[in-house]
Amino acid sequence: LRDAASILEIQLERPADALETCCRALVLTPWDDTLEAEIVRLAENVGIEWAQVVETFDKAGEAAAETARKLHLRFEAGRFAEENIEDPNVALSSYTAAYEIMPSRVDVALAALKAAGRASSWEAMAEVLLGNAAARDVLESELVSTIESIVESEEGWTDLTDELESALISTPDV
């Protein structure tokens, strides 16, 4: 598929089709990290909707066998969504999928918290904060200060507090 993509882009001057071919190839061979850069390069040159790239990285993350690769692909999908798609729920979905793979990773939890804040998803924010605390056996001060910088209104604090209370009741391990 990589050769077909090259032919489509260079000889046939069809970069959008080359991008689509690379996207299919990454889903089929999620371990091939060289395809990542090729997809990003083509997406930037073609000017397509980044939703296709995000969806590809999410699907490749589902298909990947190794945990580290799954995490990387899902995290990158979140990053691409955050940087290129206006709907914060798209980034939240990808970052949450990455977080669920390894809830102890503070960097992943931070990204998920920030996306949850942009999406005003207090439930997701509570789940990430408490899930990370349970996975690490400590409440990370960096996560707490991130939440403090995100939640601005009294209503937001009330909603978040309600979600935290709910999550604590349903998650006695924390």
PDB file of all heavy atoms in Angstrom, residues 27-44:
ATOM      1  N   VAL A  27      -3.958   1.454   9.532  1.00  0.00           N
ATOM      2  CA  VAL A  27      -4.924   0.632  10.271  1.00  0.00           C
ATOM      3  C   VAL A  27      -4.559  -0.850  10.145  1.00  0.00           C
ATOM      4  O   VAL A  27      -4.680  -1.611  11.105  1.00  0.00           O
ATOM      5  CB  VAL A  27      -6.367   0.897   9.788  1.00  0.00           C
ATOM      6  CG1 VAL A  27      -7.350  -0.083  10.411  1.00  0.00           C
ATOM      7  CG2 VAL A  27      -6.770   2.331  10.115  1.00  0.00           C
ATOM      8  N   LEU A  28      -4.072  -1.238   8.980  1.00  0.00           N
ATOM      9  CA  LEU A  28      -3.687  -2.641   8.760  1.00  0.00           C
ATOM     10  C   LEU A  28      -2.334  -2.985   9.381  1.00  0.00           C
ATOM     11  O   LEU A  28      -2.091  -4.128   9.758  1.00  0.00           O
ATOM     12  CB  LEU A  28      -3.656  -2.953   7.257  1.00  0.00           C
ATOM     13  CG  LEU A  28      -5.003  -2.887   6.544  1.00  0.00           C
ATOM     14  CD1 LEU A  28      -4.812  -3.018   5.038  1.00  0.00           C
ATOM     15  CD2 LEU A  28      -5.942  -3.963   7.062  1.00  0.00           C
ATOM     16  N   THR A  29      -1.445  -1.999   9.466  1.00  0.00           N
ATOM     17  CA  THR A  29      -0.107  -2.223  10.032  1.00  0.00           C
ATOM     18  C   THR A  29       0.189  -1.147  11.078  1.00  0.00           C
ATOM     19  O   THR A  29       1.049  -0.285  10.865  1.00  0.00           O
ATOM     20  CB  THR A  29       0.966  -2.192   8.921  1.00  0.00           C
ATOM     21  OG1 THR A  29       0.909  -0.923   8.259  1.00  0.00           O
ATOM     22  CG2 THR A  29       0.772  -3.309   7.920  1.00  0.00           C
ATOM     23  N   PRO A  30      -0.505  -1.203  12.211  1.00  0.00           N
ATOM     24  CA  PRO A  30      -0.365  -0.133  13.200  1.00  0.00           C
ATOM     25  C   PRO A  30       1.027  -0.032  13.827  1.00  0.00           C
ATOM     26  O   PRO A  30       1.342   0.967  14.464  1.00  0.00           O
ATOM     27  CB  PRO A  30      -1.422  -0.486  14.250  1.00  0.00           C
ATOM     28  CG  PRO A  30      -1.687  -1.928  14.070  1.00  0.00           C
ATOM     29  CD  PRO A  30      -1.452  -2.230  12.622  1.00  0.00           C
ATOM     30  N   TRP A  31       1.850  -1.011  13.626  1.00  0.00           N
ATOM     31  CA  TRP A  31       3.220  -0.971  14.157  1.00  0.00           C
ATOM     32  C   TRP A  31       4.146  -0.152  13.278  1.00  0.00           C
ATOM     33  O   TRP A  31       5.245   0.200  13.689  1.00  0.00           O
ATOM     34  CB  TRP A  31       3.776  -2.394  14.301  1.00  0.00           C
ATOM     35  CG  TRP A  31       3.808  -3.121  12.986  1.00  0.00           C
ATOM     36  CD1 TRP A  31       4.802  -3.079  12.047  1.00  0.00           C
ATOM     37  CD2 TRP A  31       2.798  -3.953  12.445  1.00  0.00           C
ATOM     38  NE1 TRP A  31       4.471  -3.841  10.945  1.00  0.00           N
ATOM     39  CE2 TRP A  31       3.231  -4.397  11.168  1.00  0.00           C
ATOM     40  CE3 TRP A  31       1.555  -4.380  12.899  1.00  0.00           C
ATOM     41  CZ2 TRP A  31       2.479  -5.247  10.364  1.00  0.00           C
ATOM     42  CZ3 TRP A  31       0.811  -5.226  12.090  1.00  0.00           C
ATOM     43  CH2 TRP A  31       1.279  -5.644  10.839  1.00  0.00           C
ATOM     44  N   ASP A  32       3.724   0.200  12.082  1.00  0.00           N
ATOM     45  CA  ASP A  32       4.574   0.913  11.128  1.00  0.00           C
ATOM     46  C   ASP A  32       4.553   2.408  11.415  1.00  0.00           C
ATOM     47  O   ASP A  32       3.726   3.159  10.894  1.00  0.00           O
ATOM     48  CB  ASP A  32       4.115   0.622   9.703  1.00  0.00           C
ATOM     49  CG  ASP A  32       5.065   1.168   8.661  1.00  0.00           C
ATOM     50  OD1 ASP A  32       5.974   1.944   9.018  1.00  0.00           O
ATOM     51  OD2 ASP A  32       4.893   0.821   7.483  1.00  0.00           O
ATOM     52  N   ASP A  33       5.497   2.850  12.239  1.00  0.00           N
ATOM     53  CA  ASP A  33       5.493   4.259  12.639  1.00  0.00           C
ATOM     54  C   ASP A  33       5.918   5.209  11.523  1.00  0.00           C
ATOM     55  O   ASP A  33       5.688   6.409  11.616  1.00  0.00           O
ATOM     56  CB  ASP A  33       6.324   4.475  13.897  1.00  0.00           C
ATOM     57  CG  ASP A  33       7.756   4.007  13.765  1.00  0.00           C
ATOM     58  OD1 ASP A  33       8.124   3.456  12.720  1.00  0.00           O
ATOM     59  OD2 ASP A  33       8.519   4.204  14.729  1.00  0.00           O
ATOM     60  N   THR A  34       6.525   4.697  10.466  1.00  0.00           N
ATOM     61  CA  THR A  34       6.892   5.591   9.360  1.00  0.00           C
ATOM     62  C   THR A  34       5.655   6.099   8.615  1.00  0.00           C
ATOM     63  O   THR A  34       5.705   7.161   7.991  1.00  0.00           O
ATOM     64  CB  THR A  34       7.848   4.887   8.366  1.00  0.00           C
ATOM     65  OG1 THR A  34       7.206   3.746   7.826  1.00  0.00           O
ATOM     66  CG2 THR A  34       9.135   4.485   9.057  1.00  0.00           C
ATOM     67  N   LEU A  35       4.580   5.342   8.694  1.00  0.00           N
ATOM     68  CA  LEU A  35       3.344   5.786   8.043  1.00  0.00           C
ATOM     69  C   LEU A  35       2.756   7.019   8.730  1.00  0.00           C
ATOM     70  O   LEU A  35       2.090   7.832   8.089  1.00  0.00           O
ATOM     71  CB  LEU A  35       2.308   4.659   8.047  1.00  0.00           C
ATOM     72  CG  LEU A  35       2.498   3.587   6.983  1.00  0.00           C
ATOM     73  CD1 LEU A  35       1.599   2.385   7.262  1.00  0.00           C
ATOM     74  CD2 LEU A  35       2.223   4.151   5.597  1.00  0.00           C
ATOM     75  N   GLU A  36       3.006   7.167  10.023  1.00  0.00           N
ATOM     76  CA  GLU A  36       2.486   8.321  10.751  1.00  0.00           C
ATOM     77  C   GLU A  36       2.937   9.633  10.110  1.00  0.00           C
ATOM     78  O   GLU A  36       2.129  10.509   9.826  1.00  0.00           O
ATOM     79  CB  GLU A  36       2.962   8.307  12.205  1.00  0.00           C
ATOM     80  CG  GLU A  36       2.346   7.250  13.049  1.00  0.00           C
ATOM     81  CD  GLU A  36       2.890   7.309  14.456  1.00  0.00           C
ATOM     82  OE1 GLU A  36       2.867   8.408  15.056  1.00  0.00           O
ATOM     83  OE2 GLU A  36       3.356   6.277  14.945  1.00  0.00           O
ATOM     84  N   ALA A  37       4.247   9.761   9.926  1.00  0.00           N
ATOM     85  CA  ALA A  37       4.796  10.995   9.354  1.00  0.00           C
ATOM     86  C   ALA A  37       4.274  11.211   7.936  1.00  0.00           C
ATOM     87  O   ALA A  37       3.998  12.360   7.536  1.00  0.00           O
ATOM     88  CB  ALA A  37       6.319  10.947   9.358  1.00  0.00           C
ATOM     89  N   GLU A  38       4.137  10.141   7.193  1.00  0.00           N
ATOM     90  CA  GLU A  38       3.633  10.247   5.826  1.00  0.00           C
ATOM     91  C   GLU A  38       2.187  10.747   5.822  1.00  0.00           C
ATOM     92  O   GLU A  38       1.813  11.602   5.014  1.00  0.00           O
ATOM     93  CB  GLU A  38       3.742   8.884   5.129  1.00  0.00           C
ATOM     94  CG  GLU A  38       3.461   8.906   3.664  1.00  0.00           C
ATOM     95  CD  GLU A  38       4.459   9.733   2.854  1.00  0.00           C
ATOM     96  OE1 GLU A  38       5.508  10.153   3.370  1.00  0.00           O
ATOM     97  OE2 GLU A  38       4.163   9.970   1.674  1.00  0.00           O
ATOM     98  N   ILE A  39       1.388  10.235   6.718  1.00  0.00           N
ATOM     99  CA  ILE A  39      -0.014  10.670   6.810  1.00  0.00           C
ATOM    100  C   ILE A  39      -0.094  12.148   7.178  1.00  0.00           C
ATOM    101  O   ILE A  39      -0.847  12.910   6.570  1.00  0.00           O
ATOM    102  CB  ILE A  39      -0.787   9.795   7.821  1.00  0.00           C
ATOM    103  CG1 ILE A  39      -0.993   8.394   7.235  1.00  0.00           C
ATOM    104  CG2 ILE A  39      -2.123  10.434   8.196  1.00  0.00           C
ATOM    105  CD1 ILE A  39      -1.521   7.375   8.222  1.00  0.00           C
ATOM    106  N   VAL A  40       0.690  12.564   8.150  1.00  0.00           N
ATOM    107  CA  VAL A  40       0.679  13.967   8.567  1.00  0.00           C
ATOM    108  C   VAL A  40       1.149  14.866   7.426  1.00  0.00           C
ATOM    109  O   VAL A  40       0.539  15.905   7.139  1.00  0.00           O
ATOM    110  CB  VAL A  40       1.537  14.169   9.830  1.00  0.00           C
ATOM    111  CG1 VAL A  40       1.704  15.645  10.149  1.00  0.00           C
ATOM    112  CG2 VAL A  40       0.917  13.435  11.012  1.00  0.00           C
ATOM    113  N   ARG A  41       2.223  14.465   6.755  1.00  0.00           N
ATOM    114  CA  ARG A  41       2.736  15.249   5.628  1.00  0.00           C
ATOM    115  C   ARG A  41       1.668  15.400   4.548  1.00  0.00           C
ATOM    116  O   ARG A  41       1.397  16.505   4.069  1.00  0.00           O
ATOM    117  CB  ARG A  41       3.986  14.590   5.046  1.00  0.00           C
ATOM    118  CG  ARG A  41       4.611  15.386   3.898  1.00  0.00           C
ATOM    119  CD  ARG A  41       5.727  14.617   3.216  1.00  0.00           C
ATOM    120  NE  ARG A  41       5.278  13.438   2.486  1.00  0.00           N
ATOM    121  CZ  ARG A  41       4.658  13.474   1.296  1.00  0.00           C
ATOM    122  NH1 ARG A  41       4.405  14.629   0.699  1.00  0.00           N
ATOM    123  NH2 ARG A  41       4.293  12.364   0.701  1.00  0.00           N
ATOM    124  N   LEU A  42       1.054  14.292   4.186  1.00  0.00           N
ATOM    125  CA  LEU A  42       0.026  14.336   3.146  1.00  0.00           C
ATOM    126  C   LEU A  42      -1.181  15.155   3.598  1.00  0.00           C
ATOM    127  O   LEU A  42      -1.723  15.948   2.818  1.00  0.00           O
ATOM    128  CB  LEU A  42      -0.409  12.912   2.767  1.00  0.00           C
ATOM    129  CG  LEU A  42       0.580  12.142   1.900  1.00  0.00           C
ATOM    130  CD1 LEU A  42       0.233  10.656   1.874  1.00  0.00           C
ATOM    131  CD2 LEU A  42       0.609  12.705   0.482  1.00  0.00           C
ATOM    132  N   ALA A  43      -1.593  14.994   4.841  1.00  0.00           N
ATOM    133  CA  ALA A  43      -2.757  15.742   5.342  1.00  0.00           C
ATOM    134  C   ALA A  43      -2.489  17.239   5.298  1.00  0.00           C
ATOM    135  O   ALA A  43      -3.373  18.024   4.919  1.00  0.00           O
ATOM    136  CB  ALA A  43      -3.091  15.292   6.761  1.00  0.00           C
ATOM    137  N   GLU A  44      -1.292  17.634   5.681  1.00  0.00           N
ATOM    138  CA  GLU A  44      -0.953  19.058   5.648  1.00  0.00           C
ATOM    139  C   GLU A  44      -0.899  19.586   4.224  1.00  0.00           C
ATOM    140  O   GLU A  44      -1.304  20.717   3.958  1.00  0.00           O
ATOM    141  CB  GLU A  44       0.376  19.289   6.360  1.00  0.00           C
ATOM    142  CG  GLU A  44       0.259  19.127   7.863  1.00  0.00           C
ATOM    143  CD  GLU A  44       1.591  19.149   8.591  1.00  0.00           C
ATOM    144  OE1 GLU A  44       2.648  18.998   7.936  1.00  0.00           O
ATOM    145  OE2 GLU A  44       1.566  19.303   9.828  1.00  0.00           O
TER     146      GLU A  44
END
